[in-house]
Amino acid sequence: MSNKIKLMSHLVAGYPTDEIALTAAKALVEGGADILEVQLPFSDPSADGPAIQSACTEVLAGKYRSADGLNFIEKLHKEFPAVEIYLMSYASLVYTPGIKEFCRKAAQCGVKGMIIPDLPFDFDEGLTAACKENGMINIPVAAPSMSEERLAKMANAGFPYIYAALRTGITGTDTKIEKSTLDFLQKVKSGGSKVYGGFGISNGEQSRALGCYVEAVVAGSVFVRIINKNRNDKSKLYEEVKSKAMELTQTVSS
């Protein structure tokens, strides 16, 4: 019998099309993903590695807009009403239409949480309050590069969840789960927040090493690469995405 590791899986809205992205989402859910983190494509991401950057560039070249991404999220919510959906984006896409208005629309589409890495947790332009008004949560991002003082301030700020980026740099490259990683996670959790841990998670060994220290393991670039590789074969795409999700959510059998 094996126990399940909770998984937050990352998708880029519209990549390479909404139809194919929906196929990938179905595979993720069937493979055991508990949370779908959907990214609105952005032209100048600060944390995304080559796989996600390329996906965003391609989607934006097709004139895909934030409104299209919200429509895609709404489809996901109708398809999987029991699955939590978080929206990941960058500050300008949320700030430009007005944070309150953006949060209202996101909540109407079924979003339950917002992850905006470049909005500081203590200067968030009203994001946390706007999320709360609309039945959502703001999930700030902690990084190992933060000072001890600032990390402690975030950990004790009362956020239900914090996203812990497991290393500095960009997503998509290999992450080693070392003692320093676990020490960092303990600091993030020190104020009572539950923690999502990600950045460079791509295989079951990493997931198992991390799983008992976090609320959910986060994986993104690995799925974007599978989608890209199999974009012309939806059946194969479905099977490979589902298989990878299953690999990431299963502990060693006992």
Side-chain angles (χ1 to χ4, degrees):
M1 170 115 188
S2 26
N3 299 313
K4 183 182 180 301
I5 295 170
K6 197 170 182 181
L7 173 66
M8 183 199 298
S9 55
H10 184 102
L11 279 174
V12 176
Y15 182 70
T17 66
D18 276 353
E19 181 185 2
I20 294 173
L22 183 59
T23 298
K26 290 177 180 177
L28 288 167
V29 173
E30 284 293 314
D34 303 272
I35 303 164
L36 295 176
E37 179 194 10
V38 183
Q39 177 171 348
L40 297 185
F42 189 66
S43 58
D44 189 25
S46 58
D48 299 320
I52 293 175
Q53 283 189 35
S54 296
C56 287
T57 298
E58 180 178 332
V59 176
L60 290 172
K63 308 300 182 186
Y64 200 88
R65 296 292 178 260
S66 292
D68 300 313
L70 289 174
N71 288 336
F72 173 70
I73 288 172
E74 189 170 18
K75 288 179 188 174
L76 286 183
H77 179 57
K78 288 177 178 176
E79 187 82 20
F80 313 110
V83 177
E84 293 275 291
I85 298 176
Y86 293 161
L87 185 153
M88 183 262 165
S89 186
Y90 288 93
S92 66
L93 292 186
V94 179
Y95 184 82
T96 300
I99 285 178
K100 285 189 175 183
E101 177 63 10
F102 187 94
C103 286
R104 183 186 66 80
K105 288 182 178 178
Q108 286 179 342
C109 294
V111 174
K112 293 299 182 185
M114 300 279 286
I115 302 171
I116 315 295
D118 56 343
L119 265 183
F121 74 95
D122 47 354
F123 293 98
D124 69 1
E125 303 292 343
L127 177 63
T128 299
C131 284
K132 190 173 182 179
E133 286 174 15
N134 290 280
M136 301 187 298
I137 54 173
N138 177 28
I139 305 166
V141 178
S145 57
M146 295 173 73
S147 69
E148 295 282 334
E149 180 184 6
R150 186 158 178 75
L151 186 57
K153 185 179 177 183
M154 177 188 283
N156 290 280
F159 290 101
Y161 298 92
I162 296 174
Y163 183 125
L166 300 179
R167 55 175 170 71
T168 55
I170 57 175
T171 63
T173 53
D174 192 42
T175 295
K176 300 283 191 297
I177 311 302
E178 301 172 323
K179 183 180 182 299
S180 59
T181 311
L182 303 182
D183 290 344
F184 168 62
L185 289 172
Q186 286 302 123
K187 293 174 186 176
V188 178
K189 291 195 288 186
S190 63
S193 301
K194 294 181 179 179
V195 177
Y196 299 127
F199 253 51
I201 302 300
S202 62
N203 61 61
E205 183 180 358
Q206 292 170 305
S207 186
R208 289 188 294 273
L210 186 60
C212 61
Y213 297 98
V214 296
E215 173 71 9
V217 170
V218 186
S221 294
V222 63
F223 292 118
V224 174
R225 288 192 289 265
I226 292 171
I227 291 166
N228 182 49
K229 183 180 73 170
N230 298 291
R231 60 198 296 158
N232 296 317
D233 187 339
K234 285 207 304 182
S235 177
K236 191 172 181 185
L237 181 151
Y238 179 90
E239 290 304 325
E240 288 201 18
V241 169
K242 179 180 175 181
S243 176
K244 178 56 69 172
M246 292 176 68
E247 176 189 339
L248 293 172
T249 57
Q250 296 301 314
T251 62
V252 178
S253 297
S254 57

